[in-house]
Amino acid sequence: MGLHSDELSPIYVRIAQWLEDGIIDGTLCDDERVYSQYQLAEMFNINPATAAKGLNILADNGTIYKKRGLGMFVSPNSRDIIIQKRKAEVFHQTVRQLVAEAKKLDIGKDELLDAICKIYESEG
């Protein structure tokens, strides 16, 4: 797993997204301990306070929870929560942008759907 290369996002946001990716792909499972702020700081050569901000994003939205003295853990059903959030925020926005661009280029619905299906199938 690597950090998203979106240089416009603050590093702590990319840390949160990286951890979410680990939850989505099953690298981090329900009730499993996540990396500490110090482990993240060492992994990415950042300040521990920056890593803590990334963890706090996930704690604030319920994706992870704290066990006093033990660290942070993945909340049950967090994968489903992240997927729903990303569908609402990223997926639908991306589809809207794609459809708008297709209309600008006079690409019809059938041509667009065919292109999407071909790419989806080739990515296997």
Side-chain angles (χ1 to χ4, degrees):
M1 295 189 317
L3 285 182
H4 293 268
S5 61
D6 176 12
E7 296 297 326
L8 299 176
S9 297
I11 189 78
Y12 64 90
V13 171
R14 289 186 276 154
I15 294 282
Q17 290 172 337
W18 179 77
L19 290 167
E20 283 183 344
D21 288 345
I23 293 167
I24 290 172
D25 70 19
T27 304
L28 298 168
C29 300
D30 288 356
D31 296 312
E32 184 175 341
R33 188 174 184 273
V34 299
Y35 302 101
S36 72
Q37 69 188 58
Y38 301 104
Q39 290 170 316
L40 291 168
E42 186 175 320
M43 288 168 66
F44 299 112
N45 197 28
I46 59 173
N47 187 301
T50 302
K53 284 178 78 171
L55 290 169
N56 287 335
I57 289 171
L58 300 180
D60 290 346
N61 69 23
T63 303
I64 62 175
Y65 64 94
K66 185 175 186 171
K67 284 187 181 178
R68 188 175 177 114
L70 297 176
M72 302 291 252
F73 292 79
V74 177
S75 298
N77 301 316
S78 60
R79 183 178 186 278
D80 294 335
I81 293 166
I82 294 165
I83 288 172
Q84 290 303 316
K85 178 189 82 155
R86 287 193 179 181
K87 279 183 182 179
E89 292 175 359
V90 178
F91 176 72
H92 293 292
Q93 178 183 344
T94 302
V95 171
R96 278 194 286 282
Q97 290 171 342
L98 177 63
V99 168
E101 188 66 19
K103 286 181 177 183
K104 286 181 199 174
L105 300 173
D106 292 324
I107 297 172
K109 180 173 73 170
D110 292 336
E111 185 180 356
L112 178 61
L113 290 173
D114 186 50
I116 291 170
C117 288
K118 285 179 183 174
I119 291 170
Y120 187 88
E121 290 169 6
S122 71
E123 296 292 321

